[in-house]
Amino acid sequence: MDEMKSDIDEQVVKISEFLKRELKPGDVWYLVSAGWFKQWKKYIGFDGSNKTCKGECDVYPGPIDNSALQEEVEGVLQLKNHLIENSDYCLLPNEGWQFLVQNYGTSNICKDTLQRKVIEQGMFVKHCKVEIYLMTLNCKLQDSRKQQEIHHINMSMVDTI
């Protein structure tokens, strides 16, 4: 039991450090469902409150599950519209995401990995932000037999073609 508690204490320290990290253009951050993150905080006693549940099996968050952040539209899985930071999702830098995946896994690594880049915005006063919603470029490709394929490519607003 003490081994698990020290592991939990280590998680608190590491994730606290990751959450304090400054945004830098080009860095990769990940979206994590706020519901899952709240359960994780309860399990490890993150905010110093509710220490009675710390490490208890009945509050174990299970694998990371970001399905609440996504929906299927025309057969394509995409981020839901109008998500709010800290209400619907939390952001973690790459190392924080990797640390949580290593400790908890994911319910589906392809669907649960919501990776986004930090971009710089502003013409005169520059500031960094994580670009949550990407633009979708729809490309129609036609081969010599006049068969068309439509490809959907998600891009950052700072990407160039």
Side-chain angles (χ1 to χ4, degrees):
M1 188 71 164
D2 288 338
E3 230 176 81
M4 181 179 277
K5 292 257 187 205
S6 71
D7 181 42
I8 288 172
D9 292 337
E10 177 189 352
Q11 289 181 46
V12 171
V13 170
K14 283 194 173 201
I15 295 298
S16 294
E17 289 171 7
F18 294 138
L19 290 173
K20 292 175 188 170
R21 189 160 297 164
E22 188 177 318
L23 297 176
K24 294 179 187 160
D27 282 358
V28 174
W29 286 61
Y30 290 81
L31 280 76
V32 178
S33 164
W36 185 90
F37 202 63
K38 182 179 178 183
Q39 187 68 23
W40 173 81
K41 283 179 165 184
K42 186 177 180 180
Y43 174 68
I44 66 162
F46 187 77
D47 297 324
S49 60
N50 211 353
K51 289 193 177 194
T52 57
C53 297
K54 188 174 178 179
E56 296 297 320
C57 292
D58 61 335
V59 292
Y60 182 75
I64 300 168
D65 182 2
N66 282 334
S67 60
L69 304 178
Q70 302 172 77
E71 62 188 355
E72 196 169 315
V73 177
E74 297 178 13
V76 178
L77 195 62
Q78 62 185 33
L79 211 55
K80 287 181 179 177
N81 289 323
H82 312 294
L83 295 175
I84 300 168
E85 186 174 358
N86 297 324
S87 178
D88 298 307
Y89 68 90
C90 299
L91 291 166
L92 280 173
N94 182 40
E95 296 84 352
W97 169 257
Q98 299 302 331
F99 181 76
L100 288 179
V101 168
Q102 181 182 2
N103 283 283
Y104 297 93
T106 65
S107 59
N108 183 324
I109 193 71
C110 295
K111 291 181 180 178
D112 291 324
T113 303
L114 301 173
Q115 175 181 322
R116 296 295 186 266
K117 284 186 182 176
V118 176
I119 61 170
E120 194 172 56
Q121 283 192 315
M123 190 174 285
F124 300 109
V125 178
K126 303 282 187 192
H127 67 277
C128 291
K129 74 173 223 164
V130 178
E131 185 178 31
I132 303 303
Y133 292 100
L134 303 174
M135 296 185 310
T136 302
L137 177 65
N138 297 316
C139 298
K140 283 187 181 179
L141 300 176
Q142 187 170 335
D143 64 15
S144 60
R145 297 181 304 257
K146 301 208 183 218
Q147 292 181 337
Q148 288 186 354
E149 287 182 40
I150 298 176
H151 294 272
H152 306 283
I153 303 166
N154 291 323
M155 305 176 58
S156 169
M157 70 171 92
V158 297
D159 286 342
T160 55
I161 299 176

